[in-house]
């Protein structure tokens, strides 16, 4: 756990760096780029496309070595492109409440203690695909929007509103006051196929292994389970969240 926490703290200082073809193209398209770095010996249609897009958006371009890009991307798979951006602008909880105020069946994903950026990126990607209204993450003991999250989400991070909150327990109280039903995941819960998703829904996704923290569990209205027939009794957090988001979307995702 200590190692994960150290990695999380380090990642907080590099959230102004995006790398990889798809993530860079999406960030440039959304006017988020400040400076683009391209591998100096790289050739091909991706180079031409991204150079043209950067020029259109009036973003400066520098050509640097593959080793330099690797350093800038903190060892990540940069595919020859690194983009410097402004630090990610989180939304306020009030923004998400305003966004969902008049919606009949909105879904908000609430992250509890998730430290793996790949899982968060995967959740954001599926949230965008299924029409989720927004994602809520805590400021402490949870991964934020990092370069790995941006790359894994393949640009979804630029399209899903993400609020960062100081106190998750108080946030759930505010969601309930706004008419949301709060659901969590547990092996002893209601089978997901019988999940009643009508109305305003907030779904808590806990950390892999540890699950939802005990104090947050007390605020959950109902636990939902994903039946499993094999020997493994837990799913990757991103996979579990994806299954439940598509279960919700089966009824309401296309209408939001």
């Amino acid at each position: 756990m200590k190692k994960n926490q150290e990695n999380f703290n380090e990642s907080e200082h590099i959230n102004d760096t995006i790398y990889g073809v798809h993530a860079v193209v999406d960030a440039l398209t959304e006017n988020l780029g400040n400076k683009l770095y391209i591998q100096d010996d790289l050739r091909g249609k991706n180079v031409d496309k991204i150079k043209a897009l950067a020029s259109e958006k009036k973003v400066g371009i520098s050509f640097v070595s593959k080793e330099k890009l690797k350093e800038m991307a903190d060892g990540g798979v940069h595919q020859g492109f690194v983009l410097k951006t402004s630090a990610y602008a989180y939304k306020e909880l009030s923004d998400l409440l305003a966004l969902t105020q008049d919606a009949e069946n909105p879904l908000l994903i609430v992250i509890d203690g998730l430290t793996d950026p790949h899982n968060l990126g995967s959740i954001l990607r599926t949230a965008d695909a299924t029409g989720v209204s927004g994602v809520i993450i805590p400021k402490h003991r949870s991964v934020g929007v990092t370069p790995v999250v941006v790359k894994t989400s393949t640009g979804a991070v630029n399209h899903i509103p993400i609020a960062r909150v100081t106190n998750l327990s108080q946030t759930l109280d505010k969601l309930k006051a706004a008419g949301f039903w709060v659901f969590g995941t547990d092996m002893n819960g209601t089978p997901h196929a019988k999940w009643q998703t009508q109305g305003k829904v907030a779904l808590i996704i806990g950390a892999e292994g540890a699950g939802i923290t005990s104090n947050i569990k007390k605020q959950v209205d109902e636990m939902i389970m994903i039946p499993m027939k094999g020997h493994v009794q837990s799913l990757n957090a991103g996979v579990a969240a994806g299954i439940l988001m598509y279960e919700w979307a089966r009824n309401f995702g296309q209408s939001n």
Side-chain angles (χ1 to χ4, degrees):
M1 178 60 71
K2 183 178 179 182
K3 183 177 180 182
N4 288 342
Q5 186 63 38
E6 288 173 353
N7 289 341
F8 164 63
N9 288 336
E10 290 170 3
S11 69
E12 288 296 286
H13 298 290
I14 56 173
N15 63 357
D16 62 343
T17 304
I18 292 174
Y19 53 84
V21 172
H22 295 296
V24 167
V25 167
D26 197 82
L28 284 172
T29 302
E30 295 297 318
N31 298 303
L32 300 176
N34 290 335
K35 183 66 178 290
L36 174 66
Y37 296 85
I38 301 176
Q39 187 174 316
D40 53 12
D41 61 352
L42 199 63
R43 302 290 184 272
K45 61 181 182 180
N46 282 335
V47 176
D48 296 335
K49 174 184 177 181
I50 293 176
K51 280 174 59 180
L53 183 56
S55 297
E56 177 189 334
K57 300 295 182 178
K58 295 180 171 54
V59 173
I61 302 173
S62 288
F63 295 89
V64 298
S65 67
K66 182 177 181 180
E67 291 71 25
K68 179 63 177 176
L69 288 180
K70 185 176 181 180
E71 178 185 335
M72 294 172 70
D74 199 35
V77 182
H78 54 74
Q79 298 176 294
F81 303 93
V82 170
L83 181 69
K84 289 291 184 178
T85 70
S86 301
Y88 182 79
Y90 293 98
K91 302 292 185 182
E92 298 292 335
L93 177 63
S94 58
D95 296 326
L96 297 191
L97 292 179
L99 182 68
T100 57
Q101 182 176 359
D102 298 323
E104 291 185 8
N105 296 104
L107 172 62
L108 294 177
I109 300 297
V110 182
I111 303 298
D112 178 23
L114 196 63
T115 58
D116 185 349
H118 294 91
N119 269 325
L120 180 56
S122 174
I123 289 170
L124 292 172
R125 187 174 182 175
T126 308
D128 182 53
T130 53
V132 168
S133 295
V135 173
I136 299 170
I137 61 175
K139 287 184 178 179
H140 308 293
R141 296 179 296 278
S142 180
V143 67
V145 177
T146 69
V148 175
V149 171
V150 174
K151 181 173 174 58
T152 308
S153 77
T154 62
V157 68
N158 298 321
H159 306 285
I160 291 291
I162 304 172
R164 206 173 193 191
V165 298
T166 302
N167 189 304
L168 201 55
S169 179
Q170 291 179 6
T171 296
L172 293 179
D173 287 338
K174 291 177 181 178
L175 289 176
K176 288 186 176 186
F180 279 85
W181 290 92
V182 177
F183 296 89
T185 55
D186 190 88
M187 288 303 298
N188 297 315
T190 301
H192 75 291
K194 297 182 179 179
W195 180 22
Q196 298 298 314
T197 56
Q198 292 89 345
K200 296 183 176 183
V201 174
L203 174 64
I204 304 174
I205 302 298
E208 224 176 306
I212 300 172
T213 52
S214 56
N215 64 313
I216 295 300
K217 271 188 176 181
K218 297 175 183 177
Q219 295 177 269
V220 173
D221 293 312
E222 183 179 5
M223 288 293 183
I224 306 300
M225 69 170 288
I226 301 173
M228 287 177 280
K229 297 181 180 180
H231 299 289
V232 177
Q233 293 301 302
S234 65
L235 291 172
N236 171 285
V239 172
I243 291 172
L244 294 177
M245 281 186 272
Y246 270 102
E247 178 62 28
W248 168 83
R250 189 167 61 87
N251 295 318
F252 304 115
Q254 301 305 314
S255 62
N256 282 359

